[in-house]
Structures are given as C-alpha cells and as structure tokens.
Amino acid sequence: MILKKMLDSFQFIDFEKAKLLLQNQAQNLIDVGCDTYNTVFIGFFDYRYADGSEIVTNLLKPLFEETNKGWRQVNFLPSFKQGLRVIKTKGSQNDDIKLQNIVLVDDFIGTGKTAKDRIERVKQKIGETDGGI
C-alpha cells in the first residue's frame, strides 16, 4: 500500500522546473533573514560517492547570487563534514560569516533516518560550541 502511494505521487521534475522551485525557496529563505554574512547551506553528502544533495547545494549558489552578488562558495557546503567544521568555529572568521542560520540540504527523504541523524549531529556540534550559535 505504501509503495503504491509513493509511486502514485512520484513526479519527474526537469531542470527548469527544479530551478524555479529552488528560486522560490531561495526567496523564502532570504525573506526570513538568511543572508551572506550569517548563513551556510550544508549538504547531506557524507560518503565517498556522489550524492544528490551535492548537486542541489551547488545549484543554489547561482540562484542566491541572482539576488545578491555577496553570496560566496563558503556559504554553500556540499560536504556534511565540512559543514560540521564551520559550525564548530561558529562560521568562518576569514570570510566574515557570523553563523546564525544553518540550512540542511538534501534531495530525497525516504524513512527520514538520515535527516534525523544529520539534525542530531548538527545539534550536538552546536552544543559543543561555547554557548551555541
């Protein structure tokens, strides 16, 4: 029953539609205060092999740059391990980021186990910093 429901709701999204959906999400995040100086996007990629979250994270950069040229590569971290390092330092002092917003990026949610694990690891890393973020 669950498999049938999943297959019935499956959609193919081409690049143009994906770009439009991501542009809308980008604007929503900007509207709630995500900016070049306080936000990092962290992909779920945490393995040796290619992962869709890498692609999505890298697609976000030019979409955000359309709204503000100040968005830089340092704001978009496809590697989860790299993201944890940035959280540990509360941002990147060399790049003038005072970390306040962490946006986790994934391209697929199945059971939710990976998302739950990543969120717990981010919370743990925030807790290890002096007073959180």
Side-chain angles (χ1 to χ4, degrees), residues 62-79:
L63 298 178
F64 275 84
E65 284 179 337
E66 288 175 9
T67 63
N68 180 338
K69 295 295 182 197
W71 289 98
R72 298 157 290 159
Q73 188 62 41
V74 71
N75 296 107
F76 302 91
L77 309 171
S79 164

Side-chain angles (χ1 to χ4, degrees), residues 29-46:
L29 290 167
I30 291 167
D31 290 346
V32 297
C34 292
D35 209 332
T36 61
Y37 60 86
N38 67 10
T39 303
V40 293
F41 292 81
I42 301 172
F44 271 22
F45 173 68
D46 200 20

Side-chain angles (χ1 to χ4, degrees), residues 65-104:
E65 284 179 337
E66 288 175 9
T67 63
N68 180 338
K69 295 295 182 197
W71 289 98
R72 298 157 290 159
Q73 188 62 41
V74 71
N75 296 107
F76 302 91
L77 309 171
S79 164
F80 190 72
K81 288 179 183 178
Q82 184 182 14
L84 290 178
R85 284 193 295 272
V86 169
I87 292 170
K88 181 179 179 180
T89 61
K90 296 184 188 181
S92 176
Q93 303 306 320
N94 295 336
D95 295 306
D96 298 324
I97 294 179
K98 307 288 189 242
L99 192 56
Q100 296 175 344
N101 303 303
I102 300 166
V103 180
L104 297 177

